[in-house]
Amino acid sequence: MSDINTSVMTVTPASPFLGADVTGISVTALIRSPDAAVVQTLKQALDQFLVLRFQQPALTDDEIVGFANLFGTILSDRKNTEEMDSVQPSGRAELKVLSNATASDGRPVGDKGAAAQIWHTDGCHRETPNAYSVLYARKAPDNPPRTGFMSSYTLYEKLPSDLKKEISTLRAVFSVHNRSQDFNTFMAGASVEDEKRAEGPRHPLVRLHPSTNRPFLYLPRRRDALIEGYSSEQSRNLLERLWAAVFSLSDQWRVALQANDFVIFDNRAVLHNREGWESTQDRTVFHLALEGETPIAAFAPKTVAKRGRGRGVRPPSKSSGI
């Protein structure tokens, strides 16, 4: 029998666009006595609001992992300490550390630094991208940077009709060579050769959500990503139009995560970004990724002829491993 009083749990919209605050429930109690009905209610709230925030007393690393486990299988998203040459403040291998802090021996704590990050979707370069992402703020600076959330449903719905028609059955290469999430690198960084941009899964630009059955815009992280049937130049021109829609959409929820704030969001249908902050101020956030499913195209594919004289994206060969 669960000791959770579900009658006092409330889900309150946090903005006119997306996001909600969950109150009246103890995350610790839910972890200790899992209640399938409560978890299902929270998943339904995620379908509706896309982002849920819990403001709780401090949680242990085991509790953070335990909460995430209620929503699916946790992916191993943390880089090896040897690769990062960094200090990991948690013994839980599932917890990826996003931090600009420095340990006493001079090594970084986790990764990512204090720079601003561009709008992106976690793990979209995978064959089966993350379904949900979890963020837990362990330590926040005096003036915490805001994390922005944007509905990919709204992005798609507000596209011009001709652009919707053009992308309806197109697939992009979600390169395994992810471009940096750093804002300046994304906007002005150098491109890479077509061979690297062609290494990765092909996902639909208009994806169907598996539980809401709604179409949404699904963008690769690389601004110079390739699109099947399009030349490199044509791919770039189309993606510039789609990114312009992202940058012009003001329907956002921007949250300054305080210490112990706990957020779970639908990583499929949400883009998120982050402001930069003063690098002398330490910030440490734990990140968890939850296993998802192979993206489904919202619209039936059609045979797309290669456009123009530029080289289009070749389909992957059986021996390529793509």
Side-chain angles (χ1 to χ4, degrees):
M1 179 68 68
S2 170
D3 60 358
I4 301 168
N5 184 357
T6 57
S7 65
V8 298
M9 183 175 76
T10 59
V11 181
T12 306
S15 84
F17 313 112
L18 75 164
D21 284 305
V22 181
T23 57
I25 184 172
S26 165
V27 168
T28 299
L30 180 60
I31 296 164
R32 291 174 179 171
S33 301
D35 187 313
V38 173
V39 174
Q40 183 60 28
T41 297
L42 292 173
K43 286 183 176 180
Q44 290 171 347
L46 279 166
D47 283 344
Q48 180 179 357
F49 296 106
L50 299 177
V51 187
L52 300 180
R53 176 174 60 179
F54 303 78
Q55 295 176 302
Q56 300 277 310
L59 299 174
T60 66
D61 295 357
D62 289 346
E63 287 172 334
I64 299 168
V65 172
F67 176 82
N69 271 323
L70 297 174
F71 292 83
T73 302
I74 297 175
L75 295 169
S76 219
D77 209 27
R78 188 168 94 177
K79 295 181 180 178
N80 293 330
T81 303
E82 293 78 10
E83 294 176 2
M84 293 297 301
D85 189 28
S86 63
V87 176
Q88 298 290 347
S90 172
R92 296 295 306 237
E94 304 95 324
L95 291 171
K96 181 177 180 179
V97 184
L98 311 178
S99 180
N100 67 308
T102 303
S104 57
D105 62 2
R107 288 188 295 165
V109 174
D111 64 351
K112 298 302 182 185
Q117 291 184 1
I118 198 72
W119 292 104
H120 64 279
T121 302
D122 292 336
C124 59
H125 63 286
R126 295 189 171 102
E127 291 285 354
T128 54
N130 315 4
Y132 299 110
S133 287
V134 173
L135 300 174
Y136 178 80
R138 175 68 80 199
K139 184 177 183 181
D142 296 335
N143 185 25
R146 292 178 299 173
T147 299
F149 298 99
M150 177 187 295
S151 166
S152 296
Y153 294 129
T154 304
L155 264 176
Y156 174 73
E157 291 163 0
K158 293 197 172 186
L159 291 177
S161 57
D162 63 327
L163 188 52
K164 280 185 183 177
K165 182 177 180 181
E166 181 175 1
I167 67 173
S168 61
T169 59
L170 293 179
R171 300 174 70 86
V173 180
F174 285 65
S175 175
V176 295
H177 303 281
N178 269 343
R179 196 163 188 172
S180 171
Q181 297 166 28
D182 177 85
F183 181 84
N184 292 326
T185 302
F186 181 88
M187 296 301 294
S191 184
V192 297
E193 61 271 21
D194 282 6
E195 286 71 20
K196 281 193 173 182
R197 285 186 282 159
E199 292 178 7
R202 275 67 171 159
H203 294 321
L205 283 174
V206 186
R207 185 176 167 184
L208 189 72
H209 196 283
S211 58
T212 66
N213 289 317
R214 294 175 61 189
F216 60 92
L217 182 62
Y218 198 58
L219 284 172
R221 281 189 180 181
R222 297 196 67 91
R223 190 179 175 191
D224 58 354
L226 298 174
I227 296 172
E228 285 188 331
Y230 279 48
S231 69
S232 179
E233 181 181 0
Q234 291 163 336
S235 297
R236 182 61 179 263
N237 289 339
L238 177 57
L239 284 168
E240 287 297 303
R241 295 179 65 192
L242 295 175
W243 277 107
V246 173
F247 294 137
S248 66
L249 186 66
S250 59
D251 299 358
Q252 307 170 16
W253 183 36
R254 306 188 66 79
V255 186
L257 293 177
Q258 305 284 345
N260 302 324
D261 278 0
F262 202 13
V263 172
I264 182 169
F265 60 94
D266 189 327
N267 181 65
R268 296 160 294 198
V270 169
L271 287 173
H272 63 287
N273 71 358
R274 187 193 72 192
E275 294 176 333
W277 69 95
E278 176 53 54
S279 60
T280 58
Q281 294 270 319
D282 291 348
R283 179 181 189 259
T284 298
V285 173
F286 288 154
H287 172 274
L288 284 160
L290 298 178
E291 193 174 86
E293 59 286 313
T294 302
I296 301 170
F299 303 101
K302 299 176 183 178
T303 301
V304 181
K306 290 186 177 181
R307 301 162 64 94
R309 297 182 180 178
R311 183 175 62 179
V313 180
R314 294 189 301 272
S317 65
K318 291 182 180 179
S319 61
S320 68
I322 299 173

